[in-house]
Amino acid sequence: MAMSVDSGQLHESTSFDPYGAHRDDPYSFLADVGDAEPVFYAPLLGAWCVTRREDMVAVLRDDRSFSARDHNPRPAVALPEDVSRMFRTWRGADAVAVGSLDPPEHARIREVLNAGFTPARVRAFEPTIRAIATDLVERVGVLTEFDFISAFAVPYALEVICRRLGVPDEYVDRCRTWSEQRIELMMSQRNADPDRLREYARGLMEFGAFARSLVQERLAAPQDDLISELLHDGKAGRTLTADEVSVQVPTLIFAGHMTCAEALGTILYQQLRSPGGWAEVVDGTIATRDLVEEGLRFDSPLAGMYRTAVRDVVVGDVHLAAGSRLLLLYGAAGRDSRAHACPAGFSPGSGSATHLAFGHGIHFCLGAGFARAELEIAIQAIAARMPGLALAPGLPPHHRPVFPLRALTELRVRQ
C-alpha cells in the first residue's frame, strides 16, 4: 500500500550524510535503508532519495511529471547576496544548460549537441585522445610513486575535452580552476569566508565571459573543433546560436572532465586492490571495456541527479506532493540486488552495462560514447607503459566532500 506524505515532511530517523559519515561508503547505508525504505527523505539534502533502479527509470521516463530544471545540488548554506546573484547569472541572463532543460526546449538543443558526439565523430577524434594519453603516461611513467588523480586522471580528462571543444592551451588550467570554484559554490556545506566566496563567484563570471568570447571567435573564424561544429555544421543544417553555444561550453568542460577523472580513479583503485591486480588488465584476462563498465556500475562518478515533481506523484510506494525534490541515486542503482547478482562485488565482465552511470531517458549522457572511448584508451595506455602498477603502501584513499560527485582526494600508486 502506498504511503502518502507531504513534500516538507522530514524523516529524521534516516540520517543519510554523504558529506560526513557516509562519504567514503554510502552504499552500505543505502543497501540497509533501501531494503525497508527504498524512497526515503534525507533532511541534510532536502530531498527524497530513490534507491531502486526500476523506480529511477520510471522517473527518468516521465518527463511530464518530473522536471530537470533544478537538477544540480544546492548550497546547504546561504550565500552572500552578491555571490548568489553572480552564481545565478554567470552564464548569462536566464541562461540554462541542456541538462536543466525540459521538453520541448530540450529536444532542439540536444539534437545539435548529439551531432558532436556521434560514433563517427568519436572515432575520428580517437587518435587525438590516444596521443594525449600516450604523452601523459610517458611523463608520469618515469616516476616511482605518484598520485594518479593529480598526475594523470585530471590533466588527461581536462586536456581531452578542452581539445575537443577547441579551448586554447593557455586556458586549460584556468578551466580547471573555474570548475573547482563552481564546485565550491554549488556544494557548499558550511559557512565560508565571504571574500573567498566572492573570489569563486568572480571566477565563474570570468568562466562565462571566456566561453562567450571563445564562441564569438569561432563564429567569425571556424576551426576543427566542437564549438565550430555547433555553430556551423549542425545536423541537417540545424545549428545553435552563439548565445546557446556559450551556455553549453562550461557544462561540457565541467562534466566532460570531472566525471571521467573520477571514473578513472575508481576503476584503477578497485582493480589494483582486487585479487588479480593490474596484471589481469595487462595480460588481457580482463577486457578493457568490461573493466570500464564495471567501474561505472560499482561506483558511479555521478552518484545521483536531482529531479522535481511538477505534480502529485507516486514514486515506489510513496505519494509525493508537487514541488517535492528527488535525488535519483544512480550509484545505488548499480548496487541494486534486483538488477545485479553480486552488487557489492567488483567483478568485470559480469553484466555491468545495465548501470545508470550515464543516466536514462532524454537526459542520457550525450557524451557516453566519447567517455567510454576516453576511459578505455587511458587504461590501455597505462597498461602498456606501466605493467607493474600497484597501490602504494598507506591508508586507503578517501573521497572529497563533493556529493553527488564521487571524487577521490588522491590515489597513491607505485611501479
Side-chain angles (χ1 to χ4, degrees):
M1 185 174 72
M3 175 179 66
S4 182
V5 296
D6 181 82
S7 62
Q9 180 179 340
L10 301 183
H11 269 216
E12 296 292 353
S13 60
T14 308
S15 303
F16 181 42
D17 183 6
Y19 300 101
H22 309 123
R23 182 195 303 181
D24 289 321
D25 177 21
Y27 302 113
S28 297
F29 174 88
L30 292 173
D32 289 342
V33 73
D35 286 340
E37 201 175 6
V39 179
F40 67 88
Y41 191 82
L44 181 65
L45 304 176
W48 291 89
C49 294
V50 183
T51 62
R52 288 181 181 172
R53 186 183 191 280
E54 62 181 301
D55 293 335
M56 291 181 225
V57 170
V59 170
L60 292 167
R61 285 176 173 171
D62 189 355
D63 307 309
R64 287 185 287 186
S65 299
F66 301 94
S67 171
R69 187 79 178 194
D70 192 21
H71 80 274
N72 284 316
R74 299 169 178 167
V77 296
L79 301 175
E81 193 280 330
D82 57 335
V83 172
S84 180
R85 183 180 65 254
M86 287 188 280
F87 193 34
R88 291 193 309 269
T89 62
W90 66 278
R91 294 179 187 272
D94 301 317
V96 181
V98 66
S100 299
L101 289 173
D102 292 321
E105 294 88 353
H106 172 268
R108 181 180 63 84
I109 302 293
R110 170 79 183 221
E111 182 181 31
V112 180
L113 290 173
N114 276 342
F117 294 98
T118 62
R121 294 279 196 190
V122 173
R123 284 194 299 271
F125 195 67
E126 281 185 5
T128 300
I129 300 176
R130 215 170 284 280
I132 293 170
T134 300
D135 177 67
L136 189 54
V137 82
E138 286 296 327
R139 279 187 272 155
V140 300
V142 301
L143 304 173
T144 301
E145 182 177 322
F146 58 94
D147 171 26
F148 176 77
I149 304 300
S150 62
F152 184 90
V154 172
Y156 166 74
L158 186 61
E159 185 172 353
V160 168
I161 191 60
C162 284
R163 190 79 64 84
R164 179 70 184 99
L165 284 166
V167 173
D169 291 346
E170 60 269 26
Y171 282 95
V172 171
D173 284 342
R174 261 196 270 183
C175 286
R176 179 178 179 179
T177 298
W178 289 328
S179 296
E180 287 290 340
Q181 289 171 329
R182 184 185 178 202
I183 285 178
E184 291 294 331
L185 289 173
M186 187 166 57
M187 303 179 188
S188 295
Q189 292 299 305
R190 60 183 184 276
N191 289 311
D193 178 3
D195 288 336
R196 181 172 295 179
L197 294 177
R198 290 186 180 93
E199 177 188 345
Y200 296 158
R202 285 193 292 269
L204 286 191
M205 296 298 286
E206 291 176 1
F207 201 3
F210 163 74
R212 290 187 289 274
S213 175
L214 182 59
V215 168
Q216 287 297 326
E217 290 179 12
R218 295 298 183 268
L219 188 63
Q223 296 186 17
D224 183 17
D225 56 43
L226 179 57
I227 291 177
S228 300
E229 293 165 16
L230 298 176
L231 292 166
H232 300 280
D233 304 323
K235 181 180 178 182
R238 299 183 183 92
T239 58
L240 300 180
T241 67
D243 286 344
E244 289 169 339
V245 175
S246 299
V247 172
Q248 312 309 324
V249 168
T251 291
L252 290 169
I253 293 172
F254 179 86
H257 89 271
M258 285 285 186
T259 53
C260 177
E262 291 156 11
L264 272 176
T266 292
I267 291 167
L268 202 73
Y269 174 56
Q270 295 302 334
Q271 186 57 40
L272 290 178
R273 68 195 293 260
S274 70
W278 192 241
E280 290 190 329
V281 180
V282 175
D283 67 16
T285 300
I286 293 177
T288 306
R289 170 55 65 92
D290 291 340
L291 180 60
V292 166
E293 296 302 328
E294 179 66 350
L296 293 170
R297 178 206 68 87
F298 188 80
D299 197 352
S300 171
L302 182 62
M305 191 73 81
Y306 290 92
R307 290 291 185 269
T308 304
V310 297
R311 55 190 179 191
D312 293 355
V313 294
V314 176
V315 180
D317 292 330
V318 180
H319 285 280
L320 299 176
S324 296
R325 187 163 160 85
L326 291 82
L327 175 58
L328 309 180
L329 289 165
Y330 297 161
R335 303 289 189 97
D336 190 339
S337 60
R338 297 162 187 79
H340 303 281
C342 299
F346 185 78
S347 180
S350 57
S352 311
T354 56
H355 61 72
L356 293 182
F358 294 118
H360 188 83
I362 65 169
H363 285 284
F364 181 80
C365 176
L366 60 90
F370 186 85
R372 283 183 162 114
E374 188 176 358
L375 291 168
E376 288 189 45
I377 288 170
I379 291 167
Q380 290 163 3
I382 296 164
R385 179 62 177 79
M386 295 181 277
L389 203 62
L391 292 173
L395 296 173
H398 294 287
H399 288 80
R400 297 175 59 191
V402 291
F403 189 84
L405 298 177
R406 291 285 294 160
L408 290 172
T409 55
E410 66 172 359
L411 180 59
R412 302 298 304 181
V413 296
R414 65 178 181 179
Q415 301 186 66

